[in-house]
Amino acid sequence: MSSSHAVPGSSPIAETAPLSLCAREPHVPADRLVAEMVPPPRFDSVRFDTYVPDPDQPSQTEAVGVLSDFAAGLGGAHASGSGKSGGARSASLEGWWRATGGRFGRKAAQPSGPRGVYLDGGYGVGKTHLLASLWHATPAAPSLKAFGTFVELTNLVGALGFQQTVRTLSGHRLLCIDEFELDDPGDTVLVSSLLSRLVEAGVALAATSNTLPGKLGEGRFAAADFLREIQGLSAHFRPLRIDGEDYRHRGLPEAPPPYSDEQVTRAAYATDGASLDGFPALLDHLARVHPSRYGALTDGLRAVCLTEVRPVPDQSTALRLVVLADRLYDREVPVLASGLPFDRLFSEEMLNGGYRKKYFRAISRLTALARDAKGLVAQ
């Protein structure tokens, strides 16, 4: 609807009233949750040949070759760990396993079942780009490949139930898990159990995880941690090391400072498809919407405008905000805000605690989206 609206501190302007995230309570059917397990829009067009390796980091070039071979090895019929239809794929994967064993600096193991790869590297070196490229390069219909973050996978189990999730994903050729999290022991056990069942069904696996920005080589999340935590599944993953610096910091400008409430409100009214919400009210609303629906919460948005950004009050709220930040980043929705800058959202206690990887990721992503929103403000 269009009408005349008064922006605080200004004369009335005739613009479209902004949307409100707080007014949305999406109900997402289970089949949509599964159908949306594809690389996010930000990675629709990425391929191995669009990944630009750092010439000073040979492991990046090597990763492209290894993953290309891995994708090619996933052609053919779906393989069951003990079924009769997996011969062709098992043979091709076995060839990949043997051929790439030397590239990992160790003798190739020969575990039974499908093979998996774990992209082990620092924050922002392009692991998600490579994981999405693997999904795109795997010769199978989109309905036979699944791609999601660790959080999305746990949310899927929460929405469908464990057994239904196993049944739903067991017919897939490949499952890609981005940003594997080891913060929550319960979730780690849940996902490890799920992956064990999928391995038995013949699903190939690929995973990534993040480490702390600025902490490369210093207490970083590494392949040893990943393989130890997934225990019985470790034999099905080969760690592929990817070195490099955070690409988001290569020549990018500093994050813009927050704007005034009036600037944010005026931009929301002037931008088609923008939402406008007070930050405290949005945090309250997120508690009433299941995280599996946060993607639907952002449907159709071209920008998110927030006023009165302030520190997040507690850890449960902070973790919900992390999921929303991920969905906004996936969909490349710019975020314009007033109040505190995004690097002050989380307390020192949170940033030093067990969920610190998630909080640093959220800060990095919201900062990138804040840069994208600069053009919404009239100069």
Side-chain angles (χ1 to χ4, degrees), residues 131-187:
L131 191 69
S133 298
L134 171 63
W135 188 93
H136 288 298
T138 295
S143 60
L144 295 179
K145 303 180 286 187
F147 183 107
T149 64
F150 180 89
V151 172
E152 287 176 308
L153 192 58
T154 58
N155 287 339
L156 183 68
V157 176
L160 301 184
F162 184 84
Q163 296 299 336
Q164 183 58 42
T165 303
V166 171
R167 288 192 290 271
T168 299
L169 296 180
S170 286
H172 283 58
R173 190 78 49 80
L174 171 70
L175 172 61
C176 296
I177 308 170
D178 198 22
E179 296 160 3
F180 203 104
E181 305 280 6
L182 302 182
D183 308 301
D184 187 314
D187 282 348

Side-chain angles (χ1 to χ4, degrees), residues 293-362:
R293 301 173 182 173
Y294 287 5
L297 194 68
T298 68
D299 281 352
L301 288 185
R302 296 180 61 186
V304 166
C305 298
L306 300 172
T307 58
E308 304 176 86
V309 171
R310 60 186 63 175
V312 178
D314 57 72
Q315 192 131 266
S316 295
T317 303
L319 291 173
R320 288 191 289 268
L321 181 61
V322 167
V323 178
L324 180 63
D326 286 343
R327 300 293 80 78
L328 292 172
Y329 183 80
D330 288 345
R331 290 158 176 76
E332 300 183 286
V333 180
V335 178
L336 191 72
S338 67
L340 288 180
F342 288 130
D343 61 3
R344 294 173 61 187
L345 280 174
F346 308 109
S347 67
E348 284 299 316
E349 182 180 3
M350 291 180 184
L351 294 178
N352 291 321
Y355 296 105
R356 60 190 180 276
K357 292 191 297 293
K358 294 185 179 183
Y359 299 145
F360 276 111
R361 182 178 78 235

Side-chain angles (χ1 to χ4, degrees), residues 73-116:
L74 295 177
H78 175 268
S80 171
S82 56
K84 58 186 178 181
S85 63
R89 192 187 77 161
S90 294
S92 58
L93 274 171
E94 191 67 33
W96 171 83
W97 191 266
R98 288 195 302 269
T100 61
R103 300 194 200 187
F104 295 97
R106 64 185 65 167
K107 183 179 179 181
Q110 299 294 331
S112 60
R115 312 310 185 222

Side-chain angles (χ1 to χ4, degrees), residues 3 41 45 65 76 112 122 175 198 200 281 289 335 378:
S3 59
S45 61
S112 60
L175 172 61
L198 296 180
E200 293 171 4
V289 179
V335 178

